[in-house]
Amino acid sequence: MIRSDWEAVLDHNRAALVRAVRPLTDEQSRRRLVPSLTTPIALIKHCAAAERVWFQRTIGGVEESQCDGYARGDDQSWVVPPEQTLEETIAEYEAAAERSRAIARTAVEGDVFVHYRRGAVSFSWICAHMIEELARHAGHADILVEQILAADRGRCS
């Protein structure tokens, strides 16, 4: 895959994730339909953390304390403060994604970086991983949003 292709696929998945949650109200976005911490708004928050982990910390070499938000891939990455709205969470995600794009432009295909848990990973591997991560979570968002909207219309079966 050439660089422009993976950039396009990554951006497509970023947009799909955000597009999936846009029809929801703040209250709806926080509804938990599964036992895990997964909610539509939490998917956005978690993916912002993933952007920071892989692009800011791993590729950019930014210290965790200097990242523009939470930058670990643990359960805390799913926690959205009660006062943070869905729009604010989307804006946070979009800012993290924009910073990821800028950092990615500094890397080349053959570059290898050290991830704090996985060890050495190639730039290409990071891009493939983020495509997979975002596509999976966009799919989760699609399903959750469909269930929430259907339930609120009284047509969930």
Side-chain angles (χ1 to χ4, degrees), residues 5-155:
D5 288 343
W6 69 251
E7 287 172 342
V9 173
L10 191 51
D11 278 341
H12 174 79
N13 288 327
R14 286 172 173 143
L17 175 67
V18 171
R19 188 173 47 252
V21 303
R22 284 243 184 243
L24 300 178
T25 66
D26 286 331
E27 181 275 323
Q28 289 170 322
S29 75
R30 293 174 183 281
R31 256 188 239 163
R32 189 178 293 177
L33 302 177
V34 294
S36 70
L37 297 172
T38 305
T39 62
I41 195 171
L43 285 164
I44 303 293
K45 191 76 163 180
H46 171 74
C47 287
E51 295 274 359
R52 292 182 195 107
V53 166
W54 290 106
F55 290 95
Q56 292 179 33
R57 288 183 67 187
T58 305
I59 295 173
V62 177
E63 291 294 323
E64 182 182 354
S65 63
Q66 299 302 308
C67 291
D68 59 9
Y70 196 79
R72 288 189 188 193
D74 58 15
D75 283 351
Q76 191 64 32
S77 69
W78 296 87
V79 176
V80 182
E83 69 279 0
Q84 188 173 16
T85 67
L86 177 59
E87 280 306 311
E88 290 168 342
T89 306
I90 290 170
E92 174 188 337
Y93 173 71
E94 289 175 335
E98 186 55 39
R99 190 166 178 194
S100 294
R101 286 182 199 94
I103 290 168
R105 286 191 288 272
T106 69
V108 295
E109 298 291 328
D111 285 348
V112 174
F113 303 94
V114 177
H115 181 267
Y116 72 102
R117 282 190 307 204
R118 290 192 187 251
V121 290
S122 70
F123 179 66
S124 297
W125 186 93
I126 291 169
C127 294
H129 173 71
M130 282 301 293
I131 288 168
E132 181 268 337
E133 176 96 355
L134 291 168
R136 182 180 36 182
H137 290 321
H140 294 151
D142 284 337
I143 292 166
L144 292 174
V145 170
E146 181 179 346
Q147 290 177 320
I148 290 165
L149 294 176
D152 284 359
R153 285 187 212 114
R155 295 184 297 170

